[in-house]
Amino acid sequence: MVIQQNLYKLLSFPISMIQRTLVLIKPDGVQRGLVGEIIRRFERTGLKIVAIKMIYTDEKMAGKHYADDVTWLKSVGAKQKKSYEKRGIRVIESEENLGRLVRKRLIQYLTMSPLIAFVLEGHDAIEHVRKLVGPTAPSDALPGTIRGDFSFDTYHLADDSKRPIQNLIHASDSIETAEKEINLWFKKEEIHVWRRIDEDLLYKRFED
């Protein structure tokens, strides 16, 4: 976007080092009143919100987010299988079929009540957000991460409850995924270009 490029040129900072990423505060995070605390953690690092809204999503939209993609299904199924093996449970179901079961439950999870969707912008935003969020399973997440601080859920508890793991938040995992997910959840006119008052300091450049 030309306006965005001009903004960072004004700050004498290379636009190639700026990223945008999608974050969803899932229904459990909204229901537990954690929206403000979660957003606060991102903003305190210097990341900037350029789009935000509350959505009561439907199955069609959730199905696009958790796409019916064989590679992704197998990846999710493999993760599920590994969690069973850690508990000494032998699974004969294929990784793809396990992935389909997880996808079905994820869609139910995402549609059970409103969620908050927002786009963060900043230097290496994707990596920074993933670091703040923590691993998929809150039981594996360290204190200081969002999942580590605000959830104790495990694959074991999720499986016994016949639901996906409730981990509060979704964050894009790559530049390609971020672009795809932002375009899914937001129209171009919903994404804003503006300048934080501290960006002169955050992106300050010293001359030789």
Side-chain angles (χ1 to χ4, degrees), residues 24-32 34 38 66 80 102 105-106 108-113 133-141 146-159 161-170:
L24 301 178
I25 301 178
K26 297 175 182 178
D28 55 324
V30 176
Q31 288 190 30
R32 292 179 56 201
L34 294 172
I38 289 171
Y66 295 117
Q80 188 77 358
V102 172
R105 289 177 176 174
L106 284 170
Q108 291 171 338
Y109 170 36
L110 213 60
T111 57
M112 70 180 184
S113 64
V133 168
T136 301
S139 54
D140 296 332
I146 291 167
R147 288 171 176 157
D149 283 353
F150 299 118
S151 179
F152 56 64
D153 208 8
T154 62
Y155 286 112
H156 190 175
L157 178 58
D159 290 341
S161 305
K162 296 183 178 179
R163 60 165 173 77
I165 199 159
Q166 293 186 353
N167 57 7
L168 303 170
I169 194 166
H170 164 83

Side-chain angles (χ1 to χ4, degrees), residues 16-62:
S16 61
M17 297 176 76
I18 300 296
Q19 295 175 344
R20 284 178 175 171
T21 187
L22 179 89
V23 178
L24 301 178
I25 301 178
K26 297 175 182 178
D28 55 324
V30 176
Q31 288 190 30
R32 292 179 56 201
L34 294 172
V35 173
E37 177 63 36
I38 289 171
I39 289 175
R40 176 173 167 266
R41 296 218 175 179
F42 295 125
E43 289 193 308
R44 284 174 62 188
T45 68
L47 294 169
K48 176 170 65 180
I49 295 172
V50 294
I52 187 167
K53 59 186 173 183
M54 175 177 271
I55 307 169
Y56 210 137
T57 193
D58 57 21
E59 287 189 11
K60 184 178 178 183
M61 182 67 163

Side-chain angles (χ1 to χ4, degrees), residues 1-11 13 15 20 121 188 191-194:
M1 185 185 284
V2 175
I3 302 174
Q4 185 197 20
Q5 289 175 344
N6 289 340
L7 172 64
Y8 288 101
K9 275 181 184 175
L10 251 169
L11 295 167
F13 192 81
I15 187 67
R20 284 178 175 171
E121 180 180 284
K188 281 187 178 179
I191 301 174
H192 305 280
V193 177
W194 64 285

